[in-house]
Amino acid sequence: MVTAKRKFCADQSGATMVEMAVAMPLLLTLLLGFVDFGYLFYQWNAGNKAVQTGARLAQVSTPIAIGLPSEGKTPANSLDVGNAVPAGTYDYVCTASTAGVACCSIGGGTCQPANADQTSFDAIYNGSGGRAGMVSLLPTLQKSEVRIEYAASGLGYWTRPSGPVPTVTVSITNHPFQFFFLGGLLGFGNITMPSMLSTVTGEDMKSTYP
């Protein structure tokens, strides 16, 4: 009886299978983690390219903020004609609802669809005239995650024929990273991409997209 117990305790049959069963979940988690985090960095880079593209489109095309083209054209004091438009004179922030309806707030006020040009917002988001839009570079991007701001830069002058010269800031906010494996396995599905932005100085704002 004692001999049989000793043989059983010394038996190595199946040890490799047990070791594999213990190690395999860890190895698979590491492997899938490398895949997911590689895709995470791809999304990070795509997000940066998306805001750069959005800023360039916003820089040279019709402003989303409907009232912006008139800014810098009629100073309150007629003696200011030809003088620089001071920084902080205007500030428009344009976003979209979860349904994709664009709106703009003026000076921190309520975001109103009446203040926004939906076509201009869609052109920056989707692209236009053969140009790629933001969603072309980051396919998981939602309209509600795009924020476009037009703020007085201190450049340009009152009654400038081509309109104001705003600082244009395009940013992505509250965009979640997409995980193929770790989202459900380890609960990584709720990790939000840090806000990213691109800022440029507006050029001649056109009524058509180049």
Side-chain angles (χ1 to χ4, degrees), residues 91-116:
D91 185 20
Y92 293 82
V93 176
C94 302
T95 56
S97 66
T98 54
V101 178
C103 65
C104 293
S105 64
I106 304 173
T110 303
C111 200
Q112 299 287 347
N115 296 332

Side-chain angles (χ1 to χ4, degrees), residues 6-179:
R6 286 178 178 173
K7 286 183 178 180
F8 178 78
C9 292
D11 191 354
Q12 297 294 316
S13 300
T16 302
M17 184 177 294
V18 173
E19 292 170 357
M20 181 63 72
V22 173
M24 185 60 72
L26 177 59
L27 292 175
L28 282 175
T29 300
L30 288 174
L31 175 61
L32 298 179
F34 285 133
V35 173
D36 263 354
F37 277 95
Y39 185 52
L40 178 148
F41 284 112
Y42 165 79
Q43 293 175 72
W44 175 269
N45 183 63
N48 275 301
K49 295 298 183 183
V51 293
Q52 291 169 16
T53 295
R56 177 56 184 163
L57 286 173
Q59 179 184 36
V60 297
S61 56
T62 302
I64 300 168
I66 290 175
L68 180 61
S70 63
E71 296 287 0
K73 288 202 169 183
T74 54
N77 186 342
S78 60
L79 297 178
D80 284 333
V81 172
N83 292 337
V85 178
T89 300
Y90 56 85
D91 185 20
Y92 293 82
V93 176
C94 302
T95 56
S97 66
T98 54
V101 178
C103 65
C104 293
S105 64
I106 304 173
T110 303
C111 200
Q112 299 287 347
N115 296 332
D117 184 329
Q118 184 71 47
T119 301
S120 296
F121 189 97
D122 290 344
I124 293 171
Y125 176 78
N126 294 313
S128 178
R131 288 175 176 260
M134 297 179 70
V135 74
S136 303
L137 296 164
L138 185 61
T140 55
L141 181 66
Q142 302 296 313
K143 286 185 180 180
S144 58
E145 297 164 353
V146 176
R147 181 182 186 273
I148 302 173
E149 180 179 9
Y150 302 88
S153 61
L155 301 175
Y157 55 90
W158 292 109
T159 68
R160 181 173 180 266
S162 298
V165 184
T167 294
V168 183
T169 302
V170 176
S171 54
I172 294 175
T173 60
N174 300 318
H175 180 73
F177 281 116
Q178 305 294 317
F179 289 93

